[in-house]
Amino acid sequence: MRKRGVLRTSLHALFCLFLCLLFISGSAAGAGKVHRGTLTDASGTGSEVTGHWRKYKSGRVRFIDEESGQYLKGWLQLEKYTYYLGEKGFRVTGLKQIGDQHYCFNDQGRIQTGLMSAGGLLYFYDPEAGGARLREASREVDGVEYYFGADGAAVRNQFLPSGAFADEKAHPIRKSTIRQFLETAMQPVGACMYVWGGGWNDDDSGSGVDAVTIGVSPTWKAFFEKQNSSYSVSDTRFQRRNGLDCSGFVGWALYNSFNEESGHGGYVMLAQNMARSYADWGWGSYTPAGTVRTFSPGDIMSTSAGHVYIVLGSCGDGSVVLVHASPKGVMISGTPARNGNTKSEANDLATSAMKKNFPAWYAKFPDSSRPGSYLTSYSCMHWTVSGEKCVMEDPEGFQKMSAEEVLKRLFP
């Protein structure tokens, strides 16, 4: 019996010793390599410190002072790396607001600087300001000018203070001209079928690869060549890479007018929103549907029914020549005259342009006419072509030309 008592006593003593050691360790891993650096506290006072990192079972880390055995707080500089030790001394990671500034730390707690992406937005953490997020200021990064707003995010779909326009990825675009825009819009005409979802991404939330790629996709023409006069858009829904839908076409034309490289921010959105959105971005003036009286070359026209087209010009009888991705494909079309006469000047011009310049298309799809609703049911975005903040210029006066004059210049 006495042996059992001694055994129980010994086991109890060992257990107590284990608990004591566990308490002393603070549930943390043992001391690591000793580091020497500088600690700056909340008052801005800096002092030399020596200590080591201690990692706890929770995964959190503190810097323990060698002399006092206590955790430290504040900005810690160790060699070339800067860390921040928070209120309870734990090393900060990720995005963190400290005072009225925002910072970015990696998984090891080291402060990061430069251009960073978070939540689909771009921020610049300024190495010249201790890594603080840049706000209300411009900065050139890899040859690209960005402007960062009050919240530090690079502005998108807005004009910069410099007068440049930043796209949806905050990348400044180049200015274009009405002529270049219309010439660009002609490139896929007669060789690109209408495909529902063409030009969109797989999520149907905006521009897909083709809509932010410079040049005409060879896939579009190859797909067109396989089709005949019985082509039906209902048979090719969401075969996105084979063609463009109406908003995909306009988005592609805009992108190729404003950019020389692929992969920047795109312009594809719901067709009914295009005219209003572009006007809201400051690109031009907006006129609601039912009140449009003047149709100028380059105007972007949207209808609540879900279609969009680009004006090529108007005629003496009030009819309009336009380019769009129709239910057959990308083509030049004409409207009736203002009085409803379908034997309009615009229809004659559109038919002639397609027959002469795109005979392979015309042989399959000779009908270029469109209904009178194209004149009455569409809202208009008319380009601003002068001033400090504009994305489109018109040095040749295309906006004042008739449809016939425009077509002569596009197809000399």
Side-chain angles (χ1 to χ4, degrees):
M1 294 293 292
R2 290 181 61 190
K3 289 183 178 179
R4 290 181 179 174
V6 171
L7 180 59
R8 288 196 186 98
T9 302
S10 299
L11 290 173
H12 180 73
L14 288 172
F15 181 68
C16 289
L17 178 61
F18 170 75
L19 290 177
C20 182
L21 290 173
L22 185 61
F23 176 77
I24 293 172
S25 69
S27 300
K33 177 183 175 181
V34 174
H35 300 274
R36 291 178 174 81
T38 302
L39 182 75
T40 303
D41 60 23
S43 69
T45 302
S47 59
E48 299 299 315
V49 294
T50 302
H52 61 271
W53 293 113
R54 176 177 291 175
K55 185 175 183 180
Y56 295 79
K57 288 185 177 180
S58 65
R60 304 182 75 182
V61 179
R62 283 172 168 154
F63 191 79
I64 306 301
D65 182 59
E66 287 294 306
E67 183 176 336
S68 66
Q70 301 297 310
Y71 63 77
L72 301 179
K73 297 186 296 181
W75 289 100
L76 178 64
Q77 183 75 35
L78 297 180
E79 298 176 341
K80 62 180 180 179
Y81 301 114
T82 301
Y83 306 84
Y84 185 74
L85 310 174
E87 183 63 28
K88 295 184 178 181
F90 290 112
R91 190 171 69 189
V92 169
T93 60
L95 301 178
K96 179 70 174 179
Q97 181 174 347
I98 302 171
D100 62 350
Q101 300 293 339
H102 292 79
Y103 300 87
C104 180
F105 302 87
N106 67 11
D107 292 342
Q108 295 176 299
R110 296 169 178 172
I111 199 166
Q112 303 295 289
T113 60
L115 195 64
M116 305 284 176
S117 177
L121 301 175
L122 288 176
Y123 300 92
F124 186 79
Y125 294 91
D126 192 354
E128 298 177 6
R133 182 187 291 176
L134 190 67
R135 294 181 291 186
E136 297 185 301
S138 298
R139 186 58 55 91
E140 185 175 304
V141 182
D142 296 330
V144 178
E145 176 200 7
Y146 298 92
Y147 181 80
F148 302 90
D151 63 352
V155 301
R156 305 179 300 167
N157 293 330
Q158 295 181 42
F159 282 98
L160 308 181
S162 65
F165 185 86
D167 65 23
E168 67 176 0
K169 291 187 177 180
H171 190 281
I173 64 175
R174 67 176 183 180
K175 284 188 178 182
S176 187
T177 67
I178 298 295
R179 177 168 192 155
Q180 182 179 4
F181 178 46
L182 297 181
E183 287 179 339
T184 299
M186 293 300 103
Q187 293 179 24
V189 170
C192 178
M193 302 306 298
Y194 183 102
V195 174
W196 189 283
W200 287 75
N201 57 26
D202 290 339
D203 296 331
D204 281 333
S205 60
S207 300
V209 173
D210 285 343
V212 292
T213 297
I214 296 298
V216 174
S217 169
T219 302
W220 299 343
K221 186 175 183 180
F223 186 70
F224 157 71
E225 291 174 344
K226 295 178 182 178
Q227 310 309 315
N228 57 40
S229 59
S230 64
Y231 177 79
S232 174
V233 65
S234 62
D235 297 331
T236 60
R237 290 170 65 91
F238 301 112
Q239 295 180 19
R240 303 178 191 276
R241 305 304 298 275
N242 287 332
L244 295 169
D245 66 13
C246 60
S247 52
F249 164 64
V250 173
W252 176 90
L254 289 169
Y255 186 89
N256 275 260
S257 299
F258 292 141
N259 292 276
E260 296 178 329
E261 299 175 341
S262 302
H264 298 310
Y267 306 97
V268 176
M269 63 182 72
L270 293 176
Q272 56 265 39
N273 296 338
M274 284 182 147
R276 173 85 267 183
S277 295
Y278 300 151
D280 287 345
W281 292 352
W283 287 3
S285 59
Y286 177 78
T287 304
T291 63
V292 180
R293 296 293 179 265
T294 303
F295 297 79
S296 300
D299 287 355
I300 294 177
M301 311 294 298
S302 293
T303 178
S304 59
H307 190 55
V308 63
Y309 69 83
I310 301 169
V311 175
L312 293 181
S314 58
C315 304
D317 61 359
S319 60
V320 170
V321 180
L322 58 106
V323 60
H324 61 160
S326 74
K328 294 299 183 182
V330 182
M331 63 185 297
I332 297 170
S333 294
T335 73
R338 178 65 70 177
N339 62 11
N341 186 359
T342 57
K343 295 182 178 180
S344 66
E345 295 177 33
N347 274 330
D348 288 344
L349 287 170
T351 299
S352 176
M354 293 303 298
K355 184 177 182 179
K356 177 182 177 181
N357 300 292
F358 309 101
W361 178 277
Y362 184 80
K364 298 177 183 180
F365 313 111
D367 185 10
S368 298
S369 63
R370 286 299 176 267
S373 60
Y374 275 58
L375 298 175
T376 59
S377 301
Y378 284 72
S379 58
C380 173
M381 194 286 293
H382 177 74
W383 294 100
T384 297
V385 295
S386 62
E388 292 184 3
K389 294 184 177 181
C390 69
V391 296
M392 194 74 70
E393 297 176 331
D394 189 22
E396 297 169 277
F398 263 68
Q399 285 184 320
K400 297 179 180 179
M401 294 182 187
S402 68
E404 185 175 11
E405 291 173 317
V406 169
L407 289 172
K408 285 180 178 179
R409 283 163 176 74
L410 295 179
F411 305 104

